[in-house]
Amino acid sequence: MQLRLSNSRYALIGYVLSIALIYFFLTRTLLLVAAFPEADLSIIAFLKVYLLGVIYDLAFYGYALIPVTLYLLLVPERLWKTGLNRGFVRLAIFATIYGLGFILAAELLFWDEFSVRFNFISVDYLVYRREVTDNIRESYPLPLYLSAILLVTLFVYWLVVDKIKVALDVREPFRQRLTHAGGLMLLPVVSFLLVNQDLRELSNNSYQNELASNGPYQFIAAFKNNELDYYKFYQTLPDATAAALLQKEISAGEVTTSGFDIRRSIDNPGRERRLNIFLVMVESLSADYLQVFGNSERLTPNLDRLAADSMLFTNLYATGTRTTRGLEAVTLSIPPTPGRSIVKRVGHETNLWSIGNVLKSKGYDVRFIYGGRGYFENMNAFFAGNGYGIIDQSSTPDSEMGFTNAWGMADDDLYTQALKAADAAHQADQPFFFHLMTTTNHRPYTYPEGRIDMPSGSGRAGAVKYTDWAIGELLEKARNKPWFGDTLFVIVADHTSGSAGKVALPVSQYHIPMLIYSPQHIPAQRVTALASQIDVAPTLLALLNMDYESAFFGKNILTMRPADERALIGNYQKLGLYTGNRLSILSPKQRMTQQLNPTAADPLEISVTEPDTAIERDIAYYQGASYIYSQHLNAWEPPALAR
């Protein structure tokens, strides 16, 4: 059926569609220019990107036009001609054009930060509007951007204003409107049946896949897929097989119990040392910022000096690309289950087997100390429900914060609060475990003036250097404390400063530093074993010679056999197991791939149809993590499981 919209109120949909397609085309083209060196576009790939891009653009528009189509259908003739309706329609079209301009600008800024289209990060940003709005306001000349969008919108609206008037003057009977509406409603139906996330996997080059996408469509898809059922979407093994493999993985080849219940007794040799642990998790501290890992900019002189006197872990990897993934891995010692992190799964994020609960049961003063407001990303609820007391920006008097930005207090003010809490615990004759989370190394990259030789707000390099300066100040002040000699200072990143790469899981973008400094107890050394953040908690407890009951997935890095070394890394959909010479990846729709030579600039990624030994290990970890979490087998006081 051919729809003749030129003499119909539905012509308005066609005009706005044309404008939307132009905006989406411009967005895709500008992003392509930004990503051109990495995208490796052949002529065929170029055509695929734009062809699939149009499909996604139309799919999004199809969903967006549903309420518009119904409005145009149901408004009767007598109301259509009224001034109120005319004003409403004109305002709606103007707002839509402005919104398209806003989306274009937002996509460019989002790409500049993350090198991807809208994804689950943008969903989180919608939820925590205060921090995000403040961050945008402090990072960008927002009035200038919004004014520029307004001027462009006025010009585009002027181009179509006469056509809008013609459509508003049309007399159209209900039967004709119904015919047009029925035809237009086929577009969202076809989109629902034929268009999904699979289409965008046109290449192993992640930049090509992102360019083919549509930002608003990706946003909606990310919102829907914040949690994924492992058994529904991923490759599985029989539960008995996966459980046996997992038991061997976590118990160094020795099966302790049947099924997925990994609870076991950990017997660390030696007399227990009730040392304090001062764990500083640093925002976005990539390994390659440190001179010890090859950086020549001298951004981290304090950390580089500290590395020479510490136990330095040179082959450690973050489990994910977001702060909550790092917090989850270090706290719970669990692989990154698909979808949103456990920290943000409200109602299912507490009473879990955490290092905080273990140390609290041993008499430790356990605190989570955060530079920002702990309601952000549900952090306070998560930590409070897993054995921790809370100190954050909200609980800190304004008089004790000399500088704040969108994300929270400056690092040196955060450390001042932590030192006060440590003094109080020492006076109470109580060992302490403090897990600190910094905020400074994050856009807008602002910090107190006069601390370093780079002006505040000048970029990430300055934020990294200030972060390093603050760590140096922390240790200088701590040296004068009576508890200093019996404290392990642990410095580790939550994730790296960027996760973009030609492949979906670029291993080099997960490499983070960790060092443990305690001159009276830990000799300076380098630990080269391949590991990830899930191994931090078991390693720290081993350094205390502490015996404990465990439901952790991680292992003591210091006693790992070479054959057991591995790092678990992922994003919210792809789940990887890195074993040194290859990266095995599980993806939705039961897909399995492997990267060969994964640390190379352009690793080879191949599809796999049958699991090999490495992929079976991968499945065992993630299938086991999903089962254990869903069945509450890692609950701090786990219920009896019906056998």
Side-chain angles (χ1 to χ4, degrees):
M1 179 185 298
Q2 184 177 1
L3 296 177
R4 304 179 64 179
L5 299 179
S6 59
N7 192 31
S8 168
R9 62 176 71 173
Y10 282 95
L12 296 171
I13 286 180
Y15 303 147
V16 177
L17 172 59
S18 299
I19 295 169
L21 290 177
I22 292 171
Y23 272 79
F24 292 147
F25 174 85
L26 286 173
T27 302
R28 187 167 289 109
T29 301
L30 291 171
L31 296 181
L32 187 151
V33 171
F36 192 79
E38 294 84 6
D40 291 337
L41 283 171
S42 64
I43 297 297
I44 299 299
F46 179 87
L47 294 174
K48 284 183 177 179
V49 162
Y50 278 92
L51 177 60
L52 284 173
V54 170
I55 292 173
Y56 276 113
D57 296 344
L58 289 172
F60 166 73
Y61 195 81
Y63 292 127
L65 66 78
I66 292 174
V68 180
T69 301
L70 294 176
Y71 182 83
L72 297 180
L73 171 65
L74 298 175
V75 173
E77 280 292 311
R78 65 179 183 277
L79 292 181
W80 183 253
K81 299 281 188 166
T82 63
L84 179 63
N85 177 73
R86 287 170 177 268
F88 173 75
V89 170
R90 289 190 174 105
L91 180 61
I93 293 174
F94 187 88
T96 299
I97 298 171
Y98 189 92
L100 289 167
F102 184 87
I103 290 171
L104 189 156
E107 285 221 63
L108 294 178
L109 296 177
F110 194 80
W111 184 280
D112 180 61
E113 182 78 9
F114 301 106
S115 296
V116 293
R117 306 296 284 264
F118 292 150
N119 61 8
F120 67 102
I121 299 174
S122 61
V123 175
D124 290 344
Y125 279 9
L126 181 68
V127 174
Y128 300 103
R129 290 185 296 274
R130 176 177 179 177
E131 285 79 3
V132 174
T133 301
D134 288 350
N135 179 37
I136 293 171
R137 178 175 52 79
E138 294 175 12
S139 300
Y140 304 105
L142 202 56
L144 177 62
Y145 287 0
L146 296 178
S147 298
I149 295 170
L150 178 61
L151 290 175
V152 173
T153 301
L154 288 169
F155 174 73
V156 174
Y157 183 80
W158 174 77
L159 293 176
V160 296
V161 67
D162 291 339
K163 296 181 182 295
I164 294 171
K165 182 179 183 303
V166 171
L168 289 171
D169 289 337
V170 166
R171 293 184 60 86
E172 187 174 16
F174 180 80
R175 181 174 296 180
Q176 183 178 331
R177 300 202 305 269
L178 184 62
T179 301
H180 292 322
L184 288 170
M185 290 297 283
L186 290 176
L187 182 55
V189 172
V190 171
S191 299
F192 178 79
L193 294 175
L194 300 181
V195 181
N196 55 41
Q197 291 286 74
D198 295 347
L199 289 179
R200 65 193 290 265
E201 299 294 330
L202 64 95
S203 166
N204 286 332
N205 186 301
S206 63
Y207 287 97
Q208 293 182 20
N209 300 336
E210 293 294 333
L211 289 169
S213 304
N214 174 281
Y217 184 95
Q218 287 299 111
F219 178 87
I220 295 169
F223 191 85
K224 290 169 56 182
N225 295 325
N226 256 317
E227 292 187 34
L228 297 175
D229 183 334
Y230 182 91
Y231 281 85
K232 180 178 179 180
F233 290 101
Y234 292 86
Q235 181 69 41
T236 61
L237 296 170
D239 277 346
T241 303
L245 286 172
L246 180 61
Q247 291 284 347
K248 290 180 181 178
E249 282 288 326
I250 65 168
S251 304
E254 184 178 327
V255 178
T256 57
T257 61
S258 61
F260 277 118
D261 189 349
I262 61 172
R263 290 171 296 178
R264 61 208 184 275
S265 296
I266 303 297
D267 182 10
N268 285 309
R271 183 179 178 182
E272 184 174 305
R273 304 190 293 181
R274 293 177 65 79
L275 303 176
N276 309 305
I277 300 177
F278 205 105
L279 190 158
V280 180
M281 184 166 273
V282 182
E283 171 71 42
S284 303
L285 186 66
S286 304
D288 56 15
Y289 286 137
L290 276 66
Q291 186 176 30
V292 69
F293 291 108
N295 188 287
S296 59
E297 299 177 83
R298 293 193 56 79
L299 298 176
T300 57
N302 291 297
L303 285 172
D304 288 318
R305 283 193 297 270
L306 197 63
D309 299 324
S310 302
M311 177 183 287
L312 176 66
F313 294 79
T314 62
N315 209 8
L316 187 77
Y317 289 81
T319 59
T321 61
R322 298 285 288 156
T323 296
T324 50
R325 282 300 189 194
L327 295 173
E328 166 193 275
V330 170
T331 303
L332 304 181
S333 184
I334 190 171
T337 51
R340 63 170 55 195
S341 75
I342 290 172
V343 176
K344 295 186 288 186
R345 296 183 188 178
V346 178
H348 305 279
E349 83 281 28
T350 60
N351 197 36
L352 301 173
W353 214 289
S354 69
I355 184 174
N357 274 325
V358 170
L359 289 171
K360 187 176 182 180
S361 72
K362 299 281 186 175
Y364 274 66
D365 181 0
V366 176
R367 305 286 184 97
F368 173 63
I369 307 177
Y370 178 47
R373 303 172 189 88
Y375 71 83
F376 181 71
E377 307 251 63
N378 200 46
M379 285 187 278
N380 277 0
F382 170 77
F383 281 100
N386 287 297
Y388 294 73
I390 306 293
I391 299 174
D392 70 350
Q393 184 181 3
S394 300
S395 63
T396 302
D398 290 343
S399 60
E400 298 181 16
M401 293 184 290
F403 177 91
T404 61
N405 64 14
W407 297 109
M409 69 181 89
D411 289 357
D412 47 342
D413 289 334
L414 170 68
Y415 297 146
T416 296
Q417 298 304 311
L419 291 170
K420 285 174 55 180
D423 290 342
H426 179 75
Q427 291 173 4
D429 196 26
Q430 188 177 16
F432 59 82
F433 168 59
F434 293 164
H435 186 159
L436 283 70
M437 183 69 232
T438 72
T439 61
T440 296
N441 188 22
H442 194 295
R443 193 180 296 275
Y445 311 126
T446 54
Y447 41 84
E449 295 286 1
R451 303 294 200 266
I452 60 171
D453 58 1
M454 300 175 73
S456 173
S458 58
R460 187 177 294 272
V464 172
K465 195 166 188 178
Y466 165 74
T467 291
D468 175 81
W469 173 89
I471 290 172
E473 285 292 298
L474 163 67
L475 290 172
E476 282 303 308
K477 292 177 180 177
R479 289 183 205 282
N480 299 318
K481 302 293 184 178
W483 44 262
F484 174 80
D486 290 327
T487 300
L488 306 182
F489 291 89
V490 184
I491 313 293
V492 64
D494 59 345
H495 54 80
T496 64
S497 61
S499 58
K502 290 185 177 181
V503 290
L505 294 182
V507 168
S508 60
Q509 298 284 42
Y510 287 77
H511 187 206
I512 59 172
M514 183 171 79
L515 53 89
I516 302 176
Y517 176 69
S518 185
Q520 294 186 26
H521 298 281
I522 305 294
Q525 58 190 287
R526 291 196 175 191
V527 180
T528 60
L530 174 63
S532 68
Q533 287 168 321
I534 69 167
D535 303 306
V536 171
T539 303
L540 293 179
L541 295 174
L543 287 172
L544 302 182
N545 301 333
M546 186 173 285
D547 299 338
Y548 63 100
E549 294 299 309
S550 175
F552 295 151
F553 284 75
K555 298 183 258 190
N556 178 8
I557 303 172
L558 304 176
T559 57
M560 273 189 187
R561 301 176 304 181
D564 296 329
E565 295 180 17
R566 81 286 171 269
L568 293 140
I569 68 174
N571 57 31
Y572 80 112
Q573 285 193 331
K574 295 183 182 294
L575 312 172
L577 179 76
Y578 175 40
T579 55
N581 62 349
R582 70 178 61 189
L583 174 68
S584 300
I585 303 172
L586 306 174
S587 303
K589 305 296 184 183
Q590 290 79 45
R591 290 193 180 120
M592 300 174 289
T593 56
Q594 287 186 326
Q595 286 181 27
L596 308 181
N597 196 18
T599 57
D602 193 6
L604 175 64
E605 188 162 305
I606 58 175
S607 296
V608 178
T609 55
E610 293 293 331
D612 61 8
T613 301
I615 289 182
E616 286 184 344
R617 291 179 69 189
D618 197 3
I619 295 171
Y621 271 109
Y622 291 106
Q623 183 174 331
S626 176
Y627 185 94
I628 286 169
Y629 174 71
S630 66
Q631 299 299 314
H632 310 294
L633 296 183
N634 66 333
W636 177 237
E637 295 177 354
L641 182 67
R643 300 290 183 179

